[in-house]
Amino acid sequence: MFPGLLLFVGSLAAFREASLNSSSSDELPLPLQNIPIYSEKLNLALLSALAAGRAMRESSSKSQTTSTSNLKIKSTSTTVDFATEVDLANEKMIMSNIARSFPADLIIGEEGSEAGDGYTFTTKPTWIIDPIDGTTNFVSLNKMCCCSIAYSENKQIQVACVHAPFLGETYLAIRGHGAYLNGQVIKKMFQKPLTDLNIIAEFGYERSEKSVSAMTAAMGKLLQKGCRSMRQYGSGVLDLCWVATGKCDASYTGVCGEGWKIWDYAAAGLILTECGGCLEKLTDAGDFDYTGCSMVASASPETNEILRRVVLG
């Protein structure tokens, strides 16, 4: 269907060769290449994400010369939440690659879960996939979209890969071994005062008067307290990656029903924490709940608490 959606039909080396046309490197950074179990998992995630990125670029290129209807949009839960044929094909491809290499592992995929299958996040080895995060951006030919793949054990994310094909950004991380952007280690984050913070908050799919009022009121309180700016990019995964790299300084969700899902947090959350960032619930400073819909992320627990008090106060 899409030339970029390649399944494993032979060796891993053959699949790597198929990825050479990608604009991003298909090689893991040297410090991530020889970590037992996890390097192999990350390599699989990287090659699958690059293939997904190629499919996104090819489909987008066709849409620029025809119409976005070429993307064959499929409705999901609401008129503002939908999947494209590329979302579905990417997820199928990634799940097939995982099943061939690690048949005992469980898989949580956004499109399958949102379609009504649901999911249960357990202590068993589990992959968490978002085949296209920022689908609305993707359909609109906006570059802020990506493929996100994470791997967890005992409910801890161990491996993360985020590939944004239109931005030329590939983020990789293994727990305890740092995070990388395009092969270069991401520097540790540092704390800033509220007046220096560029903060990201997404509206999500909430449209009720009560919810919209709550979300805009929270932003208003942050602006009145003097934060440098408020931003909304339309991709929760890239929001967290950009906080990790310092392009922005904080992000939050969960004021009302706009909270994110496990596939939004999983890979990007590990990338953030491997850069020294702090990922917590917005509602309280307890252990982060990947299955919840409340999140605040910044360089430190102190900054998170400042944001928590302002947003919820």
Side-chain angles (χ1 to χ4, degrees):
M1 185 183 302
F2 297 104
L5 297 179
L6 302 177
L7 300 178
F8 285 139
V9 293
S11 66
L12 192 62
F15 190 53
R16 176 179 289 113
E17 183 178 354
S19 296
L20 291 178
N21 291 328
S22 170
S23 61
S24 298
S25 172
D26 68 329
E27 294 288 338
L28 299 182
L30 282 174
L32 300 183
Q33 287 184 7
N34 296 298
I35 301 166
I37 301 176
Y38 299 131
S39 290
E40 186 179 3
K41 303 266 189 182
L42 183 57
N43 196 46
L44 171 63
L46 173 59
L47 296 176
S48 297
L50 292 176
R54 287 198 304 276
M56 292 165 67
R57 288 196 304 273
E58 290 164 7
S59 181
S60 178
S61 178
K62 292 176 184 176
S63 296
Q64 290 183 45
T65 58
T66 55
S67 165
T68 54
S69 62
N70 178 66
L71 296 171
K72 298 182 180 179
I73 297 169
K74 301 177 184 294
S75 296
T76 55
S77 58
T78 72
T79 57
V80 292
D81 181 15
F82 47 80
T84 69
E85 187 178 60
V86 190
D87 286 90
L88 302 173
N90 273 357
E91 182 162 293
K92 182 179 179 181
M93 176 271 296
I94 297 166
M95 293 176 72
S96 295
N97 290 346
I98 293 168
R100 290 169 190 268
S101 296
F102 304 103
D105 292 357
L106 303 180
I107 304 173
I108 296 172
E110 179 189 11
E111 304 312 332
S113 299
E114 293 281 72
D117 298 341
Y119 71 89
T120 302
F121 187 41
T122 71
T123 58
K124 296 179 181 179
T126 303
W127 294 80
I128 303 155
I129 303 165
D130 193 341
I132 302 179
D133 184 58
T135 300
T136 301
N137 287 344
F138 174 62
V139 169
S140 304
L141 304 181
N142 181 317
K143 295 181 178 182
M144 286 294 293
C145 52
C146 64
C147 175
S148 173
I149 304 174
Y151 171 75
S152 73
E153 293 175 353
N154 298 313
K155 292 191 173 182
Q156 281 199 328
I157 309 301
Q158 301 292 340
V159 165
C161 174
V162 173
H163 176 53
F166 303 108
L167 300 177
E169 296 179 355
T170 302
Y171 300 83
L172 301 170
I174 294 178
R175 179 176 290 274
H177 296 273
Y180 293 76
L181 169 57
N182 294 344
Q184 301 299 312
V185 66
I186 303 173
K187 296 179 180 179
K188 293 295 182 182
M189 301 170 64
F190 60 91
Q191 188 173 342
K192 297 180 180 180
L194 178 60
T195 51
D196 287 345
L197 297 185
N198 298 300
I199 304 170
I200 312 172
E202 305 288 351
F203 285 127
Y205 306 127
E206 283 299 312
R207 295 296 183 269
S208 71
E209 181 178 353
K210 180 180 179 180
S211 296
V212 171
S213 295
M215 290 185 290
T216 54
M219 291 183 180
K221 286 185 282 189
L222 287 166
L223 290 168
Q224 290 169 354
K225 289 290 185 180
C227 77
R228 176 164 290 173
S229 71
M230 295 296 305
R231 294 288 182 262
Q232 182 178 137
Y233 295 116
S235 167
V237 174
L238 288 176
D239 289 351
L240 291 178
C241 288
W242 279 25
V243 172
T245 55
K247 293 180 180 179
C248 283
D249 305 299
S251 181
Y252 69 88
T253 189
V255 173
C256 52
E258 92 286 9
W260 301 352
K261 303 290 180 64
I262 189 170
W263 41 80
D264 299 310
Y265 304 124
L270 179 63
I271 290 161
L272 178 112
T273 55
E274 283 298 307
C275 298
C278 182
L279 184 70
E280 297 178 323
K281 291 182 286 186
L282 178 64
T283 50
D284 62 72
D287 291 339
F288 184 69
D289 180 7
Y290 280 95
T291 64
C293 59
S294 168
M295 182 276 297
V296 61
S298 71
S300 70
E302 293 79 11
T303 302
N304 282 357
E305 184 56 30
I306 291 170
L307 295 172
R308 187 179 289 117
R309 290 201 305 267
V310 174
V311 168
L312 301 179

